Amino acid sequence: MFINWKLREINLKIVYYGPSLSGKTSSLEYIHSRTHPERRGELISLKTREDRTLYFDYMQFQMGEISGLKPRFNMYTVPGQVYYRGTRKLVLKGVDGIVFVADSQIHRLEENVVAINDLYEDLGELGFDTNDIPIVLQCNKRDLPEIVPVHSLKEELGLNGIPTYESVAVDGVGVLDGLKSIVNSVVTKARGKINPSPA
């Protein structure tokens, strides 16, 4: 969270995290397509030749006010491939909220588990209290055959008790529900930091 008091702006960072090809970029593309052009910036993607995210996707959008400040949400995805671990860590710096995009297919379960473990490890190394970061679980590709039941996915990922949404990101199904949830959590937390309750 970064506040520019001169411009009365608060910058908040939300990162879409998960294994490669789980639907992070598709989610951001859908959010961009559904955000009013006056409230959003350009969607920037740095891709490899194979059209997979190399470094990250990025977009910014604005909404409402928080305690008299205009919030700007900086949205990122991270590259899922194992060898981009350093890039993922870099993107997580200063994060305010995370949407973990899990690939629901049975054969991708292990990759989801590796990704969530990497996430917690990276957050720990960056000095975050992992219990203090708002996280939402987006169980993607729910339209495909041979998928893990949501309750089993939450169990395997150790994400019981967090807001969970089923999605089909390429069609936009469930994507905005997950976004609204993480935005609400991040805004609530930011409001508490700007106006701390008296001790």
Side-chain angles (χ1 to χ4, degrees):
M1 180 174 84
F2 168 74
I3 299 175
N4 184 328
W5 293 106
K6 202 172 173 184
L7 295 175
R8 306 288 303 166
E9 280 181 359
I10 177 168
N11 281 275
L12 296 159
K13 184 175 188 178
I14 293 172
V15 173
Y16 278 67
Y17 198 103
S20 63
L21 302 174
S22 62
K24 303 177 294 293
T25 297
S26 299
S27 296
L28 217 58
E29 286 171 346
Y30 184 76
I31 290 164
H32 188 263
S33 74
R34 296 302 301 268
T35 306
H36 195 284
E38 287 175 13
R39 286 181 171 263
R40 69 170 195 220
E42 201 181 333
L43 175 61
I44 298 159
S45 293
L46 298 175
K47 293 186 184 299
T48 59
R49 278 199 300 259
E50 294 84 33
D51 207 35
R52 292 166 74 169
T53 310
L54 173 57
Y55 287 110
F56 53 80
D57 303 300
Y58 167 77
M59 71 170 278
Q60 189 181 68
F61 72 90
Q62 301 171 356
M63 59 178 279
E65 279 199 355
I66 303 174
S67 305
L69 299 169
K70 282 181 298 190
R72 280 182 183 272
F73 290 92
N74 299 289
M75 314 277 291
Y76 291 84
T77 67
V78 295
Q81 298 92 310
V82 176
Y83 42 89
Y84 291 125
R85 182 86 190 263
T87 305
R88 288 202 293 275
K89 205 163 156 186
L90 208 60
V91 174
L92 281 172
K93 273 189 175 175
V95 68
D96 295 293
I98 293 163
V99 177
F100 187 88
V101 183
D103 189 321
S104 295
Q105 297 174 93
I106 290 169
H107 73 273
R108 298 292 308 277
L109 184 57
E110 197 178 320
E111 288 168 77
N112 289 314
V113 172
V114 168
I116 196 77
N117 290 338
D118 284 353
L119 170 62
Y120 282 129
E121 202 175 301
D122 289 345
L123 289 172
E125 286 173 12
L126 289 167
F128 286 101
D129 175 355
T130 50
N131 297 316
D132 199 35
I133 293 263
I135 294 185
V136 162
L137 173 60
Q138 182 180 320
C139 300
N140 195 33
K141 306 189 183 180
R142 299 307 292 174
D143 57 330
L144 297 181
E146 298 185 4
I147 53 176
V148 182
V150 171
H151 66 90
S152 302
L153 203 46
K154 291 178 80 161
E155 191 78 38
E156 289 286 342
L157 297 173
L159 293 178
N160 284 322
I162 70 155
T164 303
Y165 299 89
E166 296 184 52
S167 71
V168 182
V170 287
D171 298 328
V173 176
V175 172
L176 296 182
D177 296 327
L179 174 67
K180 283 174 194 158
S181 178
I182 197 66
V183 163
N184 284 338
S185 299
V186 164
V187 166
T188 301
K189 196 160 175 254
R191 200 174 268 133
K193 283 184 178 173
I194 299 165
N195 306 312
S197 51

